[in-house]
Amino acid sequence: MNMNKNTIIGFVLIALVFIGFSWWNRPSEEDIRKQQIQDSIALVNKKKAEQELNGRKKAEKEKQSEKTKDAATDTTALFHDAISGSDNLVVLKNDKLELTIGTRGGTISKAVVKNFKDRKGNKDVTLFDENDQQMKFMLTGKDENINTADLYFNPSEQTDTTVTLTAKAKDGKTLEMRYRLGQDYMLHFSFVAKGMEAVFAPTCNSMDIQWDERCRQQERGFTFENRYATLTYKEKGRGTDYLNETKEYADEKVEEALDWVAFKNQFFSSVIIAKEEFASNSLMTSLPQEKDSEYLKQYGAKLKTKFDPKGNVPTELEFFFGPNDFQLLQTVEKESEFGKELDLERLVYLGWPLFRIINRWFTIYVFDWLTNMGFPMGIVLILITLLLKVITFPMVKKSYMSSAKMRVLKPKLDEATKQYNKPEDQMMKQQAMMQMYSKYGVSPLSGCLPMLIQMPIWIAMFNFVPNAIQLRGERFLWIDDLSTYDPIIEWENDLWLIGDHLSLTCVLFCIANVLYSWMTMRQQRDQMVGQQAEQMKMMQWMMFLMPIMFFFMFNDYSSGLNFYYFVSLFFSAAIMWTLRKTTNDEKLLAILEARYKENKDKPKKQGGFAARLEAMQKQAEEMRKMREQQSKK
């Protein structure tokens, strides 16, 4: 696609402004010292807030001790047998998941996903333990509020996958929790109050749930993983949404009713699902953590769901603790007993609608098909790249042939337009070129439009690869883990725009990008006419600047993504080189000459955008002539 001088200058100026602005805004030494002081204060405040949050359990234990000493309180009177006891552990497990439930509070205190190595080499991944996660259920009573975190439950009917927990009140009243672990990662839960209708306020028809969790760093690259750690939720009868991963939210109100809430990191999630719904105006918290804290986010959710004080209908919830695997999430969703369209697979982000369609109906199926054939993941990425190149080859060839036609016509165009070399004659020159292209049956636009069709594939893979849990922990060649960066050198302190490492696949991708850009510019330069060739020299700086910008962007990204882009550019360069070597310019020119003779008296009519462009050029030229005539008068 031809670009005029103003467009090229605009791109160059944007790049210069970007670089200049970045340089200008570099902080001075004094600013750095001030910022370090401010950061230290902010860090102290954040750690203080976190310590207060993580100290809730300890404070509640102390509060419980005080309640135990005060036998005159209503709680003692109601739950005499449940306000004291020992915090025993109940373990539910299957082949894929192990959950630990504390009898104090009766909620899950630890979740271990089996057969997924953690970043320290352990054979299983611990999503959270009692220091990271806390959940409590709260009910409004006539004389007092009931908080399950204050009560001790007695286990019964216990097997490897089921348990019933009961907190006894006076006169045979009980609070009962039942857990049942499915065959995969789904945990079924019910909560019921028996014989306690008179205890609750007349308006009590809901139960409050408070859920807090510090999301652990599970992968090597903190910054990259943090981009995909988001508090995500599904609105009832609608789609999913999430809290921005880079911003701080404290008790952010969500006005819509919700089907589920997920505390998500890059490859694993903890999800709570309501049978009825979580009422509107839930409060969500998401606080990004410091890099060396071993945690990504501090999550929190304050929810409300239906509760039957008569005990006839239990409050039912379901939990998911497991990997963010698209196909797996679809399968696990079928285990839900609530009969809802949960769309749990949306925990695997596949991009905006167009790119999601590409990934949903093409990339995932091809990826799984190649993976099931037993190929290493690096080979899978290469084969996907080859398949995409085969699919897009007709468009690439069409684009190249259009450029080749313009290249072999360049001497004739130079000769036909040499009288229009003055700046004021450029519009007439463009019209003459369009007429020549029409007579030879060449469309200059066809050289770039087919190439644009490949861009959605690149962007789709940009969204797919970082979310593909199949790449996690997979080795290939020198790469230890395709899901994170592959450093050839690391250092202690972060450098501006670079970080604390240099990723080899990122370097290879950027080098390949430079070489491919050079080949592309050379091809375009061979077809430029007149001042266009001079303008192309200015464009070269922009083309070489892009790989540098990509380096700063992708040095933190997964080696699998950088490797895919490197291989893709390598094959693109190989295809371009092959087409150049197999194209006979003399034969191509002869074909064009024959077409010229055929269209000499009846030039091919331009259509679509090309026709509109030509009409706009003619209109602009007519307006220029009118202005010249008016100025002479």
Side-chain angles (χ1 to χ4, degrees):
M1 179 184 291
N2 297 330
M3 301 184 68
N4 60 39
K5 185 176 181 180
N6 292 336
T7 303
I8 295 173
I9 292 174
F11 277 127
V12 173
L13 289 177
I14 290 172
L16 291 176
V17 169
F18 175 79
I19 296 172
F21 182 78
S22 301
W23 178 83
W24 180 265
N25 280 275
R26 289 185 304 171
S28 64
E29 293 295 329
E30 183 179 354
D31 292 334
I32 292 175
R33 286 194 296 272
K34 291 180 179 178
Q35 186 62 44
Q36 287 175 341
I37 294 173
Q38 293 176 357
D39 291 343
S40 298
I41 295 173
L43 180 61
V44 169
N45 291 335
K46 180 175 284 190
K47 287 184 175 179
K48 182 179 179 181
E50 291 171 358
Q51 288 173 355
E52 291 177 355
L53 186 61
N54 294 328
R56 286 178 181 174
K57 191 171 184 178
K58 182 178 179 181
E60 288 175 356
K61 286 183 178 180
E62 294 174 353
K63 180 181 178 181
Q64 180 62 42
S65 297
E66 293 177 0
K67 288 182 178 182
T68 303
K69 295 176 182 179
D70 186 4
T73 62
D74 291 333
T75 303
T76 302
L78 181 61
F79 284 99
H80 182 273
D81 295 330
I83 61 170
S84 62
S86 58
D87 189 5
N88 299 319
L89 301 179
V90 176
V91 177
L92 304 181
K93 59 183 178 180
N94 57 24
D95 294 337
K96 300 179 179 180
L97 185 64
E98 182 175 304
L99 301 174
T100 301
I101 302 171
T103 56
R104 186 178 188 276
T107 55
I108 303 159
S109 60
K110 185 176 181 180
V112 177
V113 182
K114 299 181 180 180
N115 305 318
F116 286 91
K117 288 185 178 181
D118 67 10
R119 64 191 178 97
K120 297 180 180 179
N122 299 315
K123 66 176 183 177
D124 300 321
V125 168
T126 300
L127 294 187
F128 57 81
D129 60 20
E130 64 277 1
N131 297 317
D132 308 326
Q133 204 255 183
Q134 182 184 31
M135 180 179 290
K136 54 188 176 183
F137 305 104
M138 294 163 287
L139 298 166
T140 303
K142 289 180 178 179
D143 302 319
E144 61 174 307
N145 294 330
I146 299 173
N147 187 338
T148 58
D150 297 332
L151 304 177
Y152 289 85
F153 291 77
N154 297 319
S156 61
E157 303 176 12
Q158 183 177 353
T159 67
D160 285 343
T161 58
T162 62
V163 68
T164 299
L165 298 174
T166 305
K168 297 180 179 180
K170 67 178 183 177
D171 301 328
K173 299 178 176 65
T174 61
L175 289 179
E176 185 177 276
M177 299 181 183
R178 291 185 178 180
Y179 290 94
R180 176 166 50 86
L181 181 61
Q183 61 182 1
D184 290 314
Y185 303 96
M186 189 75 84
L187 178 69
H188 306 274
F189 170 83
S190 67
F191 181 98
V192 64
K194 295 184 177 181
M196 297 183 64
E197 180 180 0
V199 173
F200 299 110
T203 57
C204 179
N205 59 2
S206 64
M207 178 173 67
D208 290 295
I209 304 171
Q210 184 170 324
W211 184 24
D212 298 299
E213 180 185 324
R214 294 183 75 193
C215 179
R216 290 188 175 191
Q217 178 185 348
Q218 301 290 357
E219 314 306 325
R220 180 177 191 173
F222 173 87
T223 304
F224 185 64
E225 184 184 6
N226 221 350
R227 291 190 181 102
Y228 299 91
T230 59
L231 191 156
T232 307
Y233 52 87
K234 182 183 181 299
E235 298 170 359
K236 183 180 179 181
R238 301 172 63 183
T240 58
D241 204 348
Y242 62 94
L243 301 184
N244 188 293
E245 65 276 7
T246 62
K247 297 181 180 180
E248 293 188 1
Y249 298 90
D251 287 344
E252 180 77 8
K253 183 182 293 186
V254 179
E255 296 181 354
E256 295 81 4
L258 305 177
D259 284 329
W260 52 259
V261 177
F263 294 166
K264 173 183 177 295
N265 64 10
Q266 185 177 5
F267 292 124
F268 301 93
S269 292
S270 302
V271 187
I272 182 172
I273 307 164
K275 180 177 183 178
E276 299 294 335
E277 63 190 49
F278 293 120
S280 57
N281 298 324
S282 298
L283 301 178
M284 306 295 179
T285 296
S286 177
L287 301 175
Q289 304 296 285
E290 299 296 329
K291 184 174 182 179
D292 297 327
S293 67
E294 300 291 318
Y295 293 92
L296 303 172
K297 300 285 196 307
Q298 174 69 60
Y299 288 136
K302 296 177 181 178
L303 310 167
K304 189 185 294 289
T305 192
K306 291 184 179 180
F307 170 74
D308 179 14
K310 296 180 181 180
N312 297 325
V313 180
T315 298
E316 294 187 65
L317 302 171
E318 290 177 332
F319 297 91
F320 171 85
F321 303 102
N324 300 328
D325 183 317
F326 189 91
Q327 303 283 25
L328 172 67
L329 287 167
Q330 287 187 318
T331 301
V332 169
E333 183 174 316
K334 296 176 182 178
E335 295 182 23
S336 173
E337 299 175 353
F338 297 164
K340 292 183 176 182
E341 291 291 335
L342 296 177
D343 294 331
L344 286 174
E345 69 274 9
R346 288 298 185 109
L347 291 171
V348 182
Y349 182 69
L350 298 179
W352 291 352
L354 173 61
F355 314 125
R356 179 177 176 81
I357 291 172
I358 295 173
N359 285 326
R360 172 68 180 84
W361 300 107
F362 174 80
T363 311
I364 288 178
Y365 286 106
V366 174
F367 190 84
D368 289 344
W369 173 57
L370 293 173
T371 302
N372 292 334
M373 293 178 69
F375 292 113
M377 287 302 164
I379 299 298
V380 169
L381 291 175
I382 294 175
L383 292 176
I384 287 179
T385 309
L386 278 172
L387 179 59
L388 291 173
K389 293 301 178 185
V390 170
I391 293 173
T392 59
F393 178 75
M395 294 180 291
V396 173
K397 185 176 181 180
K398 182 179 180 181
S399 173
Y400 175 81
M401 293 307 298
S402 178
S403 299
K405 292 173 184 178
M406 296 170 67
R407 182 181 69 245
V408 299
L409 288 176
K410 181 177 180 297
K412 294 183 177 293
L413 289 171
D414 286 336
E415 181 65 25
T417 60
K418 63 182 180 181
Q419 69 270 32
Y420 303 121
N421 284 331
K422 295 180 181 180
E424 62 268 20
D425 295 335
Q426 291 306 301
M427 189 64 69
M428 297 178 65
K429 182 174 186 177
Q430 289 290 333
Q431 291 180 8
M433 290 172 57
M434 295 298 292
Q435 291 174 1
M436 288 285 291
Y437 286 140
S438 178
K439 291 178 180 179
Y440 280 99
V442 175
S443 174
L445 296 179
S446 63
C448 61
L449 293 180
M451 296 295 292
L452 296 178
I453 300 177
Q454 296 185 87
M455 291 304 297
I457 297 175
W458 269 57
I459 299 174
M461 293 298 289
F462 176 84
N463 288 299
F464 172 77
V465 173
N467 290 290
I469 194 173
Q470 293 85 349
L471 297 177
R472 185 179 183 273
E474 291 293 323
R475 302 173 64 94
F476 184 69
L477 299 178
W478 69 89
I479 304 170
D480 292 331
D481 186 348
L482 284 165
S483 70
T484 187
Y485 59 82
D486 57 321
I488 52 175
I489 185 173
E490 295 181 276
W491 49 87
E492 287 295 327
N493 299 319
D494 287 353
L495 296 181
W496 183 60
L497 294 179
I498 297 179
D500 60 0
H501 66 274
L502 192 64
S503 176
L504 179 56
T505 51
C506 180
V507 173
L508 292 175
F509 160 46
C510 293
I511 292 174
N513 201 348
V514 170
L515 295 176
Y516 182 72
S517 298
W518 177 78
M519 293 180 65
T520 303
M521 288 187 296
R522 185 177 180 183
Q523 176 181 315
Q524 292 177 347
R525 187 176 62 241
D526 291 341
Q527 68 191 45
M528 294 298 177
V529 178
Q531 292 185 351
Q532 290 178 340
E534 294 299 322
Q535 295 170 358
M536 190 63 195
K537 294 179 181 179
M538 301 174 61
M539 192 64 183
Q540 288 178 1
W541 292 103
M542 189 66 185
M543 297 291 286
F544 284 121
L545 181 63
M546 290 302 294
I548 298 175
M549 297 173 63
F550 281 149
F551 169 76
F552 294 125
M553 289 173 58
F554 286 87
N555 190 47
D556 251 340
Y557 273 65
S558 69
S559 55
L561 182 63
N562 282 319
F563 181 72
Y564 165 77
Y565 283 153
F566 165 69
V567 173
S568 180
L569 286 169
F570 174 82
F571 284 131
S572 294
I575 290 171
M576 185 179 295
W577 182 85
T578 303
L579 289 172
R580 183 68 180 90
K581 290 297 182 181
T582 56
T583 300
N584 189 315
D585 288 358
E586 294 180 358
K587 290 184 178 180
L588 181 59
L589 182 58
I591 294 173
L592 293 175
E593 290 289 0
R595 188 177 299 171
Y596 175 77
K597 292 179 181 179
E598 184 179 331
N599 297 332
K600 187 174 183 181
D601 298 325
K602 47 178 182 178
K604 184 178 179 181
K605 185 178 180 181
Q606 296 283 358
F609 180 76
R612 291 193 296 271
L613 179 62
E614 185 175 3
M616 291 171 60
Q617 290 174 344
K618 290 180 178 180
Q619 185 178 7
E621 180 62 21
E622 290 175 359
M623 293 178 65
R624 185 186 68 82
K625 290 180 179 179
M626 289 177 61
R627 287 194 298 269
E628 290 179 353
Q629 292 175 357
Q630 291 175 356
S631 63
K632 290 179 180 179
K633 293 179 180 180

